Amino acid sequence: AQSVTQLGSHVSVSEGALVLLRCNYSSSVPPYLFWYVQYPNQGLQLLLKYTTGATLVKGINGFEAEFKKSETSFHLTKPSAHMSDAAEYFCAVSPLSGGYNKLIFGAGTRLAVHP
Amino acid sequence: NAGVMQNPRHLVRRRGQEARLRCSPMKGHSHVYWYRQLPEEGLKFMVYLQKENIIDESGMPKERFSAEFPKEGPSILRIQQVVRGDSAAYFCASSPPSRGNDYGYTFGSGTRLTVV
């Protein structure tokens, strides 16, 4: 069965510092991978996704993530945090390709950015 | 070009009442998914529907919960005889009819159900 582990339920960084949010997955086949962001009392917004091709994926708001098959990881990074990045971030996997699928989410990482 | 519309945004029900949550998918999207987010947890899949068909309801509780997506109108998630444990945020997502999985879903803003 597929699963997603997000290390660290809370991460706190200073404004301007590197953001690193960790995501590891377990899957018998290479899945599709997603990062979503959720601002308070709002829905989920897609930050970026990996399906096929280049393993370094760039998303919105300066975020990027790298798919490392050997490490079964898909960590999210941003070189310089901004106050507006404070939100909850969810990593998700989609086990199959070519058809419908249910997303399997990690428990989320709440990012705090302080001045 | 409206996104996925969910209503109401907030819903308060007393124990034992019924809750009806509505979801209108994006234009051109015929696949609808419902997810539930319990406090301090990630989203959990509940059900996947296409027009007039339930494709996968493996995440739905066996009792009191039902979902439909009629030929006309929004998708409805119905919770009968609500209990305190049903308090959660319920999110709807939609995708286009083909290769929707590759692009990720488009989520609505959710309905936050509080059972008092």
Side-chain angles (χ1 to χ4, degrees):
Chain A
Q2 289 81 13
S3 65
V4 177
T5 302
Q6 291 185 242
L7 289 174
S9 58
H10 292 81
V11 170
S12 181
V13 300
S14 299
E15 190 174 19
L18 171 72
V19 175
L20 171 60
L21 304 182
R22 299 177 187 275
C23 173
N24 288 87
Y25 67 91
S26 67
S27 177
S28 56
V29 296
Y32 290 173
L33 296 153
F34 305 84
W35 275 99
Y36 284 86
V37 60
Q38 184 181 32
Y39 297 101
N41 296 315
Q42 295 188 26
L44 277 71
Q45 180 181 4
L46 181 65
L47 270 179
L48 50 78
K49 62 183 184 291
Y50 169 78
T51 54
T52 57
T55 56
L56 181 62
V57 180
K58 294 188 185 297
I60 61 172
N61 302 338
F63 284 93
E64 61 183 38
E66 186 171 11
F67 168 56
K68 291 187 176 181
K69 184 179 177 181
S70 61
E71 298 177 7
T72 60
S73 69
F74 192 56
H75 301 329
L76 182 70
T77 60
K78 182 174 180 177
S80 176
H82 192 272
M83 297 295 287
S84 61
D85 294 327
E88 186 142 25
Y89 292 80
F90 293 95
C91 181
V93 302
S94 182
L96 299 176
S97 64
Y100 95 91
N101 223 319
K102 63 189 80 168
L103 289 176
I104 299 168
F105 284 87
T109 297
R110 191 174 300 274
L111 176 67
V113 182
H114 51 87
Chain B
N1 185 16
V4 178
M5 303 302 293
Q6 289 188 251
N7 66 81
R9 289 293 303 275
H10 300 274
L11 182 61
V12 179
R13 285 287 178 266
R14 296 186 185 280
R15 281 177 295 171
Q17 291 185 319
E18 179 179 288
R20 281 184 178 238
L21 289 62
R22 294 174 183 77
C23 169
S24 296
M26 283 185 69
K27 187 175 181 180
H29 286 193
S30 57
H31 296 194
V32 165
Y33 311 79
W34 285 93
Y35 286 78
R36 176 166 64 174
Q37 184 180 30
L38 294 170
E40 304 301 318
E41 293 187 19
L43 280 73
K44 296 288 195 295
F45 170 82
M46 298 182 75
V47 61
Y48 160 58
L49 310 102
Q50 296 178 15
K51 286 283 188 181
E52 301 184 280
N53 283 301
I54 297 174
I55 307 301
D56 181 355
E57 57 181 346
S58 58
M60 288 277 272
K62 299 301 180 191
E63 298 178 348
R64 302 187 297 107
F65 284 71
S66 63
E68 63 177 8
F69 189 16
K71 186 177 181 181
E72 301 291 338
S75 175
I76 305 289
L77 179 67
R78 182 183 179 202
I79 311 172
Q80 295 178 292
Q81 301 173 353
V82 296
V83 301
R84 288 241 171 94
D86 297 332
S87 296
Y90 292 83
F91 290 96
C92 171
S94 71
S95 69
S98 61
R99 299 182 64 82
N101 179 60
D102 297 357
Y103 304 99
Y105 307 153
T106 301
F107 280 89
S109 296
T111 292
R112 281 152 184 84
L113 172 66
T114 302
V115 179
V116 297

